[in-house]
Every structure is written in structure tokens, then in C-alpha cells.
Amino acid sequence: MTQPTKRQAIFNKTGGRCYYCGDPLPAKGWHKDHVEAIRRNFDLTGRTDGTSLNPDADREDNFVPACASCNLQKGPLTVEQFRDKIAQFISSLNAYHNQYIVARRYGLVVETGQNVTFWFEKEAKSVKP
């Protein structure tokens, strides 16, 4: 039996679901996320030389599969910072997006006030990054 590739092994950690939102991942186009984010070195122009401020976080046990949306939203944030960012989405929608406000007014959107709980916390307590 052949061993899965490193990328496939990361995908298999969650059975092909995004570590954060739990959506099924496509065979191609999903992202390899660092749970403990790596901090890249950038110069004044915003370019990185590929090196990291915390290279110890660039290890296999710190990789999880994520959908592009979650990974791009999370960026270099910690899991708790990412949770806080998502929690602020409703406030932002209510403050700046009239279409959302109208949809809410007509009952098309219902705000629950629930806490942000990630898929790995609800469904995969045994899944370790």
C-alpha cells in the first residue's frame, strides 16, 4: 500500500472538510493552513523574502486543510483572533450594508447571537492539527 502524499495526509486529517467551517473541500483549490500562523518577513514594499519570524511553526503537525475563504480570512491571525473577527461580521453588516439590513428587516436573515464555534471544536474533538 502506498503512503499518501504530505498534502493528501493533511486533507485526510479532517476527512476532506475545512478545519474551521466544516464545508467539504474540493479535490483541488483547498489551502494548507498553519493553525499557529507563521509570520512572514516583509520589506517596506510589502514583498516577502519567504523567510519567517517563527519558523518553528512551519511543521507538519501544525498544518490543517482549509477552504480558501476561511484561510484568506484567517490570514496570520490566531484561532482566537479569527473567532473575534468573524464575530464582528454582523456588526459590520448592520453598519455598512443596506441590502443586509433590508433582508434582516423582512425576516430573510435571522441573527442568532450565537458564539463562533469552529468545526474542529464541534465535530472533530479528536482531530489534532
Side-chain angles (χ1 to χ4, degrees):
M1 185 169 148
T2 62
Q3 292 287 352
T5 65
K6 287 182 181 182
R7 185 164 172 82
Q8 186 65 46
I10 294 165
F11 183 87
N12 292 347
K13 284 183 178 183
T14 61
R17 293 190 169 274
C18 174
Y19 190 68
Y20 302 105
C21 71
D23 278 359
L25 297 169
K28 294 183 179 182
W30 60 273
H31 291 199
K32 176 177 77 170
D33 181 57
H34 294 82
V35 176
E36 178 190 343
I38 58 170
R39 308 293 289 205
R40 302 249 185 237
N41 287 310
F42 289 93
D43 63 20
L44 295 176
T45 67
R47 293 188 179 126
T48 180
D49 62 5
T51 61
S52 171
L53 297 172
N54 58 334
D56 55 310
D58 199 19
R59 60 186 193 280
E60 293 299 318
D61 67 335
N62 190 37
F63 297 142
V64 294
C67 67
S69 177
C70 283
N71 190 47
L72 293 172
Q73 286 290 328
K74 180 178 176 280
L77 302 176
T78 66
V79 170
E80 289 309 313
Q81 290 169 329
F82 184 35
R83 185 188 319 277
D84 292 344
K85 180 179 182 178
I86 294 169
Q88 293 301 313
F89 286 174
I90 296 296
S91 295
S92 176
L93 288 166
N94 279 303
Y96 302 110
H97 300 280
N98 192 51
Q99 290 173 324
Y100 175 82
I101 294 165
V102 171
R104 183 176 44 83
R105 187 179 303 143
Y106 283 91
L108 300 174
V109 175
V110 177
E111 296 175 9
T112 65
Q114 70 184 32
N115 293 328
V116 175
T117 305
F118 294 114
W119 177 84
F120 73 89
E121 295 168 320
K122 294 185 291 189
E123 302 296 328
K125 293 181 189 237
S126 64
V127 172
K128 301 289 183 199

